[in-house]
Amino acid sequence: MAIQGIKLGNLSYPLRTVARDPYNSEQFEALAMPLFASLYNLAHWLTQDRSEAEDLVQETYLKALKGFASFQQGTNFRAWIYRILRNTFLTSRAGLAQHVDVPLEDEEGEIDLPSIAGTPESLLLAQADQEMVTAALQRLPVQAREIILLCDVEEMSYREIADTLGVPIGTVMSRLSRARGALRKLMEPRGQGVTP
């Protein structure tokens, strides 16, 4: 499927006006289109709104295509475009409203993962657990939510996350630890967990 143009809000930009070099637009398409669903997924988690997520992804693609000449071939395109999406979100109205740096307490210990057996009861419990995780993720501050999503959902390496967020790997690891601890606290039974 070829990108005919990029739609941003009510405006539509044909590709030829965004990328003056057809080679660049073809190369961009080859690198960017396989990431579309993942970018939309992250955008939806960040914005918590379908329409805003669509606008965020479209704006990300527009900015990435316009700035594609600055992308260094041989480097990590995935981290580069995720960083554009993140920065676009943080500078958007929705991002500014949601982005509050909330310090999370360090919590030591392992993450307890439920065992899944093939019985109907265990599958029902696993579905309930998944719904509880989703609800808890939605209650996390954006900074904590994005680090968990990049690592556990998008399966990015610590290096890719560090490149995406523009922080050292050690910061990625400590933020991830704090975010997972906060997620566990949110999933505790009522009265024991952190209130949003």
Side-chain angles (χ1 to χ4, degrees), residues 107 109-117 122 125-126 129-130 132-133 148 152-153 180-181 183-184 187:
E107 182 178 306
E110 296 288 321
I111 297 175
D112 295 325
L113 298 176
S115 60
I116 298 177
S122 65
L125 288 173
D129 285 347
Q130 185 177 13
M132 186 171 48
V133 169
I148 289 175
D152 298 331
V153 176
R180 286 177 174 161
L183 184 64
R184 279 193 302 274
M187 292 174 51

Side-chain angles (χ1 to χ4, degrees), residues 146-179:
E146 75 181 349
I147 196 103
I148 289 175
L149 293 171
L150 290 174
C151 183
D152 298 331
V153 176
E154 297 302 325
E155 298 180 347
M156 285 186 163
S157 68
Y158 288 166
R159 169 55 48 210
E160 287 179 308
I161 296 170
D163 291 345
T164 299
L165 301 180
V167 298
I169 290 178
T171 302
V172 169
M173 294 183 332
S174 64
R175 282 186 188 175
L176 186 59
S177 175
R178 289 192 308 267

Side-chain angles (χ1 to χ4, degrees), residues 88-161:
T88 302
F89 169 72
L90 292 177
T91 58
S92 71
R93 187 180 78 237
L96 291 173
Q98 290 187 30
H99 185 68
V100 179
D101 289 331
V102 178
L104 302 173
E105 296 177 19
D106 280 324
E107 182 178 306
E108 306 255 343
E110 296 288 321
I111 297 175
D112 295 325
L113 298 176
S115 60
I116 298 177
T119 66
E121 294 83 9
S122 65
L123 294 175
L124 184 60
L125 288 173
Q127 181 180 357
D129 285 347
Q130 185 177 13
E131 291 169 3
M132 186 171 48
V133 169
T134 300
L137 265 173
Q138 290 173 343
R139 293 173 49 204
L140 281 176
V142 173
Q143 186 181 39
R145 189 180 328 138
E146 75 181 349
I147 196 103
I148 289 175
L149 293 171
L150 290 174
C151 183
D152 298 331
V153 176
E154 297 302 325
E155 298 180 347
M156 285 186 163
S157 68
Y158 288 166
R159 169 55 48 210
E160 287 179 308
I161 296 170

Side-chain angles (χ1 to χ4, degrees), residues 71-89:
F71 172 70
Q72 296 177 353
Q73 295 298 327
T75 60
N76 191 335
F77 180 81
R78 180 176 165 189
W80 183 77
I81 199 165
Y82 269 79
R83 188 171 197 168
I84 293 171
L85 180 127
R86 179 182 185 264
N87 290 341
T88 302
F89 169 72

